[in-house]
Amino acid sequence: MSLKMKKGNNIIGSHVTVIVDRPWGSYHPKHKDLYYPINYGYIKGIMAPDGEEQDAYIIGVDEPIKEFTGKVIAIVHRYDDVEEKWVVCPENRNFTREEIMRFVNFQEQYFDSILITS
């Protein structure tokens, strides 16, 4: 089954490759005060509801990278936005819900969001 056919929680556990366009230690291109303490990017070819490629947070990698292949461990669902963010980490790592939320809070603090895990 392709990733395009998967819905909701079914994406959790899938392996994806994230193209990093906002590496660890960078700042948002429009909101100059938004610092990225993790790597952030998109999954090429997977379209999100906002018409852009699917965004993803990468946790468990503490250095700037350009591309990363890992497993989707959670989905950040935003009630006040049209898109969701996927949370991707190395295959051999696990994180609690609390740890994941601490990693993504730098951006999610501005939205009404919940964390969906398996």
Side-chain angles (χ1 to χ4, degrees):
M1 175 182 288
S2 75
L3 289 177
K4 289 181 183 180
M5 294 173 58
K6 291 189 172 191
K7 298 283 186 196
N9 293 4
N10 293 335
I11 198 64
I12 296 172
S14 297
H15 291 83
V16 296
T17 297
V18 181
I19 308 302
V20 177
D21 57 357
R22 296 181 196 157
W24 179 84
S26 66
Y27 288 85
H28 191 282
K30 293 180 184 172
H31 307 284
K32 302 295 184 186
D33 59 337
L34 182 59
Y35 173 80
Y36 282 81
I38 61 175
N39 290 288
Y40 178 88
Y42 61 93
I43 294 103
K44 189 173 185 171
I46 303 296
M47 301 310 289
D50 66 353
E52 301 289 330
E53 289 172 305
Q54 177 63 54
D55 292 325
Y57 296 113
I58 300 169
I59 63 173
V61 178
D62 299 331
E63 63 184 356
I65 55 176
K66 294 183 179 183
E67 186 174 299
F68 178 77
T69 299
K71 66 179 176 179
V72 178
I73 60 167
I75 299 167
V76 177
H77 174 77
R78 292 178 174 173
Y79 289 111
D80 53 352
D81 199 0
V82 298
E83 62 182 320
E84 296 180 327
K85 308 291 184 181
W86 294 356
V87 181
V88 180
C89 76
E91 177 66 35
N92 61 347
R93 300 284 307 271
N94 290 304
F95 296 91
T96 66
R97 294 175 61 81
E98 293 77 20
E99 289 171 324
I100 295 168
M101 287 307 293
R102 277 196 303 270
F103 277 114
V104 303
N105 189 58
F106 75 98
Q107 186 164 305
E108 293 307 316
Q109 66 184 322
Y110 303 110
F111 296 91
D112 179 15
S113 59
I114 61 163
L115 187 68
I116 300 168
T117 58
S118 60

